[in-house]
Amino acid sequence: MFSSCDRFGSGCHRGRAPWIIPATVALWLALSSVAALAGGFGTARRDGAWWLTMPGGAIPFFSIGADTVNGGDKHYRGHGYYWEDSYPDLAAWAADTQQRLYAWGFNTRGGWSDPTTAMTLPLVPEIDLGRLSRLHWFDPFAPDAQAIATAKAREITAPYKDNPAVIGYFTDNEVGWWNAPLFRWYLGNEWAVYTKQVLWRMVYDHYKGDWRRLLVDFVPGKGVNGFEDLKKGRAELHLRPGGHGITLIERFTAVCAGRYYELVYKALKAADPDRLVMGDRLPLYYNQDAVLASRGHLDVLSTNYNVDTPDGWVAPYYFEGLARLTDTPVLISEFFFAANENRSGNVNNGHLMHVQTQAERAAGAAAAVRNFAAFPNIAGIHWFQYYDEPSGGRGDGENFNMGLVDIRNAPYEGLVTALAAANRDVPALHAASGGRKTPPMPAVIPLARAKTPVVVGDDSLADWPDKAGTRLPWFTVPAPHVPFGDVHMSWSPESLNLFNLAQNYADLYLLAHDGEFPPSESYRINLDVDAGAGMKHFALCLVPRPHSKYPGRFELAPRLYAVAADGSLAALETQGVMQVLDKPLPHIALELALPARLLGVEKLTAGQKLALRIEAITFYRGMTMTLGAPAGKGGAPKTGAAPVAAVLADK
């Protein structure tokens, strides 16, 4: 088994990285088992950067993995990857596949990979411990939940205990911690469900037994007229517009998540204590309260990730936020790039990252790897997946060109060449990442001039080539939460430009309302700008509506308003001014090119001074992040918050 430095030693001794010592395959294989070295694989932070460590703890190890390193599914044979089409036996498949992965710079088998000992590549199995123990969506607070989880953990891990290549376990896949669905599900359960009883007590205590206080935040369902009625099966509470019921819902989410993480951590430490507990592979999004609740119950936090833009940009808020929420190394358990130009007939039928050509795919994927490696809390990057999905789609209909190889086992040479070069750079990039800091906010914030015309309506952020130089990293959120997105700004003579990448899961059926979704409950950015003609107030709202293509789903419609002194809204034209990119919740991506005339000036010029105040607010006003002054109690902006000073820079 190679560490990331074994094949790429020339990059491992630069700068201040003397601890990265090459380890040979022969040395590691001489160990009879992981148990021969105390603790097996581990984690360590060196000069500010997190690493996994080899058995024994002395050698840092950055996990560069590939998912589904297996022989494929014979049921897809003829239109999907299957080992018998290329190899005489599984031993030949294992040898050739491992050799390829080493050559491309990979050093780990990720989720859903064959655990065969014919391969020496380290392995992280995904074991579905919570699902098989019937924890989430069943009754995690049942008195026997821990005993059941521990027994199931012993059963599931038994086949892996003598395999020294196992780093640790992914406990589940994409649990999600969807806040409102958890609340609605358990509230609607029968009283015999222990988790329902926990929730009822939380509701009762939150409102101190005063039903009138509850009615400020919620609209009860039919037949629910008091707390005793909430004990019944099928009980319902819907958010009341203007209320703050989402606060209670998030508290319950944290309680459920904390119970899950405690149960699976204790179960795995009892069943296989030398292996790392590596989390539940968060689904391209994280709930901040759930992450906070995981503290102390994970060795590594795993998250899947959908790269934000085709050029491989990775929004910093995501991983900077995780670093502040939990002092735990992060492993990217899935990332991917697909291309419409492919040899497997994949149609890329969804929102997951895909581009037009294989050349674009290779460039974007390699850029993403380098961007990931530059975050100090990331200790591993796993590519999804080894081979393309079947040409007709897999069982759930997903049909993506995600493979390093096509369904006929031929490598995508441009992709694997680009990834090999990027993987070679990872150790040095990561060793240098420990010094990454957010610079202090300057007294006057320079706003960069747009390098290319900002085109609103193209469903793209390709017109922002300088994403790092346009980011405003100084937003604040009341502790213990962190900013839930990034805001970027630039200027052109004709417009002040902004884009926002963020995450915000919202159950849009939860709100009690008639007609169009209320702007007060929408995802919203309040933008106040004084460009020399007095302070102008704007609200950028993302209002959900039934999807134009897919029945039963929602899409977000952009709404731009001028805000009067009394808070009333006057609609403004959005065509060519504001767009929301076609990304389903919980992903937020909006772009604005606010015309100079709306700021009361004919045009914007270099050196011009501005006063700015920006607030981004999640659905149902659950969280607010603010640039201009610290947010007040509950995330609300402080009354009279002072704007920040900005200047339109020449470059």
Side-chain angles (χ1 to χ4, degrees):
M1 184 277 293
F2 291 101
S3 78
S4 54
C5 299
D6 294 330
R7 297 189 61 81
F8 309 130
S10 61
C12 292
H13 303 285
R14 302 172 187 165
R16 301 192 311 156
W19 62 85
I20 306 177
I21 303 169
T24 65
V25 177
L27 172 64
W28 194 76
L29 288 179
L31 306 173
S32 60
S33 70
V34 171
L37 290 173
F41 288 86
T43 64
R45 184 158 48 195
R46 308 288 178 88
D47 289 347
W50 276 107
W51 303 81
L52 303 182
T53 57
M54 298 271 286
I59 303 172
F61 172 73
F62 194 100
S63 178
I64 304 174
D67 292 331
T68 69
V69 179
N70 60 50
D73 188 337
K74 66 180 180 182
H75 294 100
Y76 294 122
R77 194 170 187 182
H79 56 96
Y81 175 90
Y82 191 57
W83 69 270
E84 280 190 357
D85 295 331
S86 303
Y87 302 99
D89 52 45
L90 281 170
W93 167 83
D96 185 56
T97 301
Q98 176 160 285
Q99 183 179 23
R100 282 177 163 185
L101 289 169
Y102 279 148
W104 301 335
F106 293 93
N107 60 25
T108 308
R109 285 171 283 173
W112 302 287
S113 293
D114 192 327
T116 175
T117 54
M119 288 184 171
T120 56
L121 278 165
L123 170 69
V124 187
E126 192 278 299
I127 61 173
D128 282 346
L129 176 57
R131 181 178 66 83
L132 295 173
S133 301
R134 296 172 66 85
L135 298 182
H136 39 269
W137 304 108
F138 291 97
D139 197 2
F141 284 93
D144 58 354
Q146 185 66 73
I148 292 172
T150 301
K152 184 58 68 174
R154 294 186 193 280
E155 174 189 332
I156 296 171
T157 61
Y160 300 106
K161 294 194 73 170
D162 294 328
N163 186 343
V166 175
I167 298 173
Y169 301 104
F170 296 127
T171 57
D172 282 282
N173 183 57
E174 298 192 340
V175 173
W177 306 116
W178 313 113
N179 50 15
L182 282 168
F183 178 84
R184 293 174 65 181
W185 170 252
Y186 285 112
L187 188 65
N189 265 251
E190 298 297 329
W191 186 248
V193 174
Y194 290 92
T195 309
K196 160 82 172 242
Q197 297 172 33
V198 170
L199 173 56
W200 184 91
R201 175 52 61 182
M202 287 184 65
V203 174
Y204 186 89
D205 290 348
H206 185 80
Y207 294 106
K208 296 180 170 57
D210 187 340
W211 188 249
R212 291 170 300 179
R213 294 179 62 178
L214 179 145
L215 294 178
V216 173
D217 290 341
F218 289 100
V219 176
K222 184 178 179 180
V224 177
N225 299 302
F227 289 106
E228 287 301 307
D229 290 332
L230 290 177
K231 294 181 177 180
K232 299 175 182 177
R234 301 186 181 181
E236 292 185 0
L237 290 174
H238 294 271
L239 288 178
R240 186 182 297 277
H244 296 282
I246 195 65
T247 302
L248 175 60
I249 290 173
E250 291 291 13
R251 283 185 55 208
F252 179 66
T253 304
V255 166
C256 284
R259 177 67 170 164
Y260 165 85
Y261 287 119
E262 178 186 20
L263 290 170
V264 298
Y265 184 81
K266 288 181 177 178
L268 282 172
K269 290 304 181 184
D272 197 356
D274 286 330
R275 269 38 185 279
L276 299 176
V277 179
M278 303 183 72
D280 50 319
R281 301 169 61 97
L282 299 171
L284 321 179
Y285 144 87
Y286 57 84
N287 179 290
Q288 293 193 22
D289 292 283
V291 173
L292 287 166
S294 76
R295 287 176 169 179
H297 303 305
L298 290 175
D299 298 313
V300 176
L301 183 146
S302 59
T303 180
N304 299 343
Y305 195 81
N306 193 15
V307 176
D308 295 280
T309 58
D311 59 5
W313 174 255
V314 175
Y317 82 88
Y318 194 96
F319 296 103
E320 290 178 1
L322 287 173
R324 290 171 57 186
L325 291 167
T326 180
D327 191 25
T328 305
V330 173
L331 187 141
I332 299 167
S333 38
E334 288 183 17
F335 91 101
F336 34 76
F337 259 82
N340 293 332
E341 172 195 37
N342 64 79
R343 299 190 299 263
S344 297
N346 300 125
V347 297
N348 303 322
N349 56 343
H351 70 283
L352 302 177
M353 175 52 66
H354 59 281
V355 292
Q356 188 59 40
T357 68
Q358 286 293 325
E360 292 173 289
R361 183 188 185 211
V369 167
R370 294 184 173 97
N371 285 329
F372 287 136
F375 288 97
N377 58 325
I378 292 179
I381 309 166
H382 290 188
W383 172 270
F384 189 86
Q385 57 182 7
Y386 181 66
Y387 46 78
D388 278 343
E389 294 181 334
S391 58
R394 63 186 195 184
D396 62 0
E398 185 177 281
N399 187 342
F400 270 83
N401 159 235
M402 291 172 164
L404 302 171
V405 304
D406 63 23
I407 59 174
R408 296 170 187 84
N409 198 34
Y412 287 100
E413 291 295 345
L415 175 67
V416 297
T417 299
L419 286 176
N423 291 343
R424 184 164 53 244
D425 292 342
V426 162
L429 287 170
H430 193 61
S433 71
R436 179 175 178 146
K437 305 290 183 186
T438 299
M441 188 171 74
V444 179
I445 298 173
L447 300 182
R449 184 164 185 162
K451 294 184 180 296
T452 59
V454 173
V455 179
V456 176
D458 59 355
D459 196 37
S460 170
L461 295 175
D463 44 2
W464 291 76
D466 183 17
K467 295 180 178 64
T470 57
R471 180 180 177 232
L472 305 178
W474 304 290
F475 280 80
T476 59
V477 176
H481 298 111
V482 298
F484 48 83
D486 279 331
V487 175
H488 298 244
M489 292 192 77
S490 71
W491 69 278
S492 309
E494 62 279 1
S495 63
L496 185 65
N497 311 312
L498 175 151
F499 82 81
N500 173 220
L501 293 174
Q503 56 178 347
N504 182 198
Y505 176 75
D507 182 339
L508 301 173
Y509 293 104
L510 184 67
L511 188 70
H513 73 285
D514 295 318
E516 186 172 89
F517 197 92
S520 65
E521 308 304 307
S522 70
Y523 184 94
R524 174 169 171 163
I525 293 179
N526 291 329
L527 175 63
D528 301 337
V529 186
D530 184 348
M535 190 68 80
K536 309 297 181 184
H537 307 276
F538 304 94
L540 291 61
C541 297
L542 301 186
V543 178
R545 65 186 179 191
H547 204 285
S548 57
K549 296 181 182 177
Y550 306 110
R553 288 173 51 184
F554 288 93
E555 61 185 2
L556 299 177
R559 299 283 187 266
L560 178 63
Y561 300 98
V563 185
D566 63 358
S568 60
L569 305 178
L572 299 172
E573 177 60 50
T574 59
Q575 185 69 32
V577 176
M578 179 181 170
Q579 71 168 338
V580 54
L581 277 63
D582 186 17
K583 292 177 176 285
L585 288 174
H587 309 287
I588 300 288
L590 67 87
E591 184 180 30
L592 175 78
L594 189 67
R597 59 179 171 76
L598 292 180
L599 300 174
V601 297
E602 183 177 344
K603 65 178 181 178
L604 300 176
T605 59
Q608 185 172 348
K609 295 180 179 179
L610 303 181
L612 285 175
R613 185 167 46 228
I614 308 173
E615 298 159 356
I617 307 169
T618 60
F619 281 101
Y620 311 131
R621 293 160 293 104
M623 295 177 63
T624 298
M625 64 183 203
T626 307
L627 180 72
K633 184 177 180 180
K638 287 186 174 179
T639 304
V644 298
V647 64
L648 304 184
D650 288 330
K651 296 182 180 179

